C-alpha cells in the first residue's frame, strides 16, 4: 500500500472544488486538475501552478489520491467509471475520495468498483459551504475503511476543521443526509418566526438579538437572520442543490422505513421557490416564500 501522498488529482472545480484544490496546491502537493468547462481548469492551473488535463482519466494518471467534487450521482459516475473516468487512469493502491453529496447506494457501488481495481475508496461529503471551502474550515463526514481513512486524513485536514470516519462505505453520505434533514426544518422555523415578527410589527433584529441567546438559537439564526430580514438570498448553498439533497434523503428514508414528514414538506416548499425562479437563491429563501 502506498503511504506517501504527493500527487493529487482534483476533479470538479466548482464553488467548492476550486478553493479546496487550491488549499492542496498551497500546501505543496503536486495537483493535477480536471474540470468539464476547461476554462476554469486553465484559470485554476495559472492561479495555483498545477497542471490541467482534458479528461478525468488523464488527470488521475500517476496520482496517489484522486478527489472528486461534482454535482450528483450521475455526474460522479461520469467522472469515475465511464470510459474516460478517473478510475481507469488510477494505479493500484491509490485512493479515490468523493466529496460530492450523493446517495449511499452510489458510495457502495463505487467502493466495489474501486476494490476491483485495487484502489481504496472513501465517501466524504462536506458541510460548511463556500465560506468553509475558501477558509479551509469544512466538516468532512467519511465512510470507508480505517486504513484508507488514516491515509487520507492528513490531506483532508488542509481544508477541514473536522474530519471524522463514521463507518463503512456509505456512512459519510448517510451522515450528510442527517445534516440536511436537520437544516431544512430549522430554516422553515426561522422563516416562520421572522414572518410572524414582521406582521406583529416587532423589530425583527431586536427579536433575534433576544431569542438567539436562548433555546431558539442556531447556526442558521446567527448567520442568516440579517440577510433574511434584508430579503437577500445570494449567500451560499443553492435551492437546486438542496432539492437534490432532500431527494436523496427522502429516497433513503423510504428504504429505511423512516418517517420524515417535515423534510417532505420543506422539500415541496423548495419546489415552490424553484417555481418562483429561485433555484439559485440560497436555502434561507424559504422566508421569501411566505411573503413573495
Ligand atoms: P458547482 O459550483 O455547481 O460545481 C459543480 C462542479 O461539478 C463543476 O466543476 C462542474 O463542472 C462539475 N460537474 C457537474 N456535472 C459534471 C459532469 N457530468 N461531468 C463533469 N463535471 C461535472 O457545485 P458546488 O457548489 O461546488 O457543489 C459540489 C458538490 O458539493 C455538490 O454535490 C453539492 O451538493 C456539494 N456541496 C455544496 C455546498 C455549497 O455550499 N456549494 C456545500 C456542501 C456540499 P462545470 O464547471 O463544467 O459546470
Amino acid at each position: 500500500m502506498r503511504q506517501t501522498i504527493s500527487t493529487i488529482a482534483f476533479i470538479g472545480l466548482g464553488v467548492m472544488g476550486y478553493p479546496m484544490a487550491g488549499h492542496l496546491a498551497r500546501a505543496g502537493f503536486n495537483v493535477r486538475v480536471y474540470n468539464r468547462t476547461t476554462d476554469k481548469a486553465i484559470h485554476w492551473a495559472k492561479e495555483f501552478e498545477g497542471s490541467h488535463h482534458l479528461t478525468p482519466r488523464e488527470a488521475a494518471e500517476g496520482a496517489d489520491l484522486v478527489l472528486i467534487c461534482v454535482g450528483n450521482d450521475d455526474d460522479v459516475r461520469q467522472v469515475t467509471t465511464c470510459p474516460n473516468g478517473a478510475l481507469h487512469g488510477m494505479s493500484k493502491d491509490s485512493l479515490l475520495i468523493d466529496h460530492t453529496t450523493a446517495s449511499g447506494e452510489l458510495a457502495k457501488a463505487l467502493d466495489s468498483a474501486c476494490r476491483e481495481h485495487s484502489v481504496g475508496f472513501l465517501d466524504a461529503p462536506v458541510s460548511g459551504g463556500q465560506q468553509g471551502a475558501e477558509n479551509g474550515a469544512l466538516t468532512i463526514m467519511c465512510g470507508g475503511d480505517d486504513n484508507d481513512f488514516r491515509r487520507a486524513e492528513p490531506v483532508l485536514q488542509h481544508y477541514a476543521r473536522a474530519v471524522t470516519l463514521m463507518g463503512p462505505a456509505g456512512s459519510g453520505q448517510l451522515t450528510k443526509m442527517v445534516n440536511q434533514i436537520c437544516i431544512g426544518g430549522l430554516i422553515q422555523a426561522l422563516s416562520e418566526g421572522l414572518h410572524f415578527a414582521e406582521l406583529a410589527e416587532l423589530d425583527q433584529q431586536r427579536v433575534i438579538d433576544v431569542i438567539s441567546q436562548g433555546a431558539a438559537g442556531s447556526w442558521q439564526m446567527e448567520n442568516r437572520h440579517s440577510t433574511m430580514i434584508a430579503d437577500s438570498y445570494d449567500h451560499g448553498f443553492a435551492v437546486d442543490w438542496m432539492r437534490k439533497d432532500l431527494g436523496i434523503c427522502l429516497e433513503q428514508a423510504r428504504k429505511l422505513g423512516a418517517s420524515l414528514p417535515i423534510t417532505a414538506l420543506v422539500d415541496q416548499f423548495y419546489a415552490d421557490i424553484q417555481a418562483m425562479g429561485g433555484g439559485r437563491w440560497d436555502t434561507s429563501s424559504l422566508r421569501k416564500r411566505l411573503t413573495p
Side-chain angles (χ1 to χ4, degrees):
M1 176 190 291
R2 296 182 188 194
Q3 288 302 340
T4 315
I5 292 175
S6 57
T7 299
I8 298 176
F10 205 109
I11 316 286
L13 302 172
V15 166
M16 302 297 282
Y18 194 101
M20 288 159 81
H23 287 296
L24 299 177
R26 281 208 198 93
F29 293 102
N30 170 27
V31 184
R32 302 161 61 83
V33 299
Y34 164 81
N35 195 68
R36 181 179 56 182
T37 308
T38 309
D39 282 357
K40 258 195 242 173
I42 293 172
H43 191 268
W44 185 97
K46 264 192 203 143
E47 187 176 342
F48 294 104
E49 294 179 5
S51 57
H52 74 89
H53 301 270
L54 295 178
T55 64
R57 180 180 187 149
E58 188 188 310
E61 279 164 9
D64 307 303
L65 167 64
V66 175
L67 295 160
I68 292 171
C69 191
V70 292
N72 59 27
D73 280 31
D74 282 345
D75 302 330
V76 175
R77 282 189 206 100
Q78 273 182 25
V79 299
T80 55
T81 49
C82 282
N84 268 329
L87 199 48
H88 300 290
M90 293 179 72
S91 353
K92 199 167 169 272
D93 292 336
S94 59
L95 182 58
L96 177 72
I97 299 182
D98 184 20
H99 285 309
T100 311
T101 304
S103 69
E105 302 305 316
L106 177 76
K108 286 184 196 157
L110 270 183
D111 182 59
S112 302
C114 284
R115 277 175 204 280
E116 279 170 24
H117 285 75
S118 301
V119 164
F121 173 76
L122 295 175
D123 52 300
V126 304
S127 98
Q130 180 174 358
Q131 216 179 340
E134 287 171 357
N135 298 333
L138 293 169
T139 295
I140 309 184
M141 302 147 247
C142 302
D145 170 89
D146 196 43
N147 283 333
D148 292 333
F149 177 75
R150 274 191 264 123
R151 235 182 343 153
E153 192 185 7
V155 178
L156 302 184
Q157 290 289 2
H158 287 286
Y159 46 76
R161 76 170 160 214
V163 186
T164 309
L165 181 64
M166 302 305 300
S171 306
Q173 296 296 356
L174 289 170
T175 306
K176 174 76 182 183
M177 291 174 213
V178 176
N179 188 74
Q180 301 307 73
I181 291 165
C182 291
I183 285 176
L186 262 182
I187 300 175
Q188 176 62 18
L190 178 56
S191 301
E192 290 182 16
L194 290 173
H195 174 60
F196 180 97
E198 185 181 18
L199 294 185
E201 297 182 358
L202 289 167
D203 179 329
Q204 294 177 68
Q205 183 59 55
R206 289 189 70 198
V207 170
I208 295 295
D209 289 346
V210 172
I211 69 169
S212 62
Q213 304 306 314
S218 66
W219 185 98
Q220 296 293 339
M221 183 177 283
E222 193 180 324
N223 290 280
R224 287 288 175 266
H225 76 270
S226 57
T227 46
M228 288 166 88
I229 292 170
D231 201 27
S232 165
Y233 303 106
D234 185 21
H235 303 279
F237 195 59
V239 166
D240 286 343
W241 277 149
M242 188 59 163
R243 282 220 76 208
K244 181 244 321 172
D245 292 3
L246 295 180
I248 291 170
C249 296
L250 292 168
E251 177 63 30
Q252 185 70 46
R254 267 190 289 278
K255 288 179 186 148
L256 295 172
S259 162
L260 304 182
I262 300 297
T263 305
L265 197 57
V266 170
D267 180 52
Q268 288 312 299
F269 293 164
Y270 280 125
D272 294 344
I273 306 275
Q274 287 176 315
M276 289 161 68
R280 297 303 294 178
W281 297 346
D282 74 64
T283 46
S284 69
S285 55
L286 284 176
R287 169 71 187 89
K288 193 167 184 64
R289 182 183 157 278
L290 297 173
T291 321

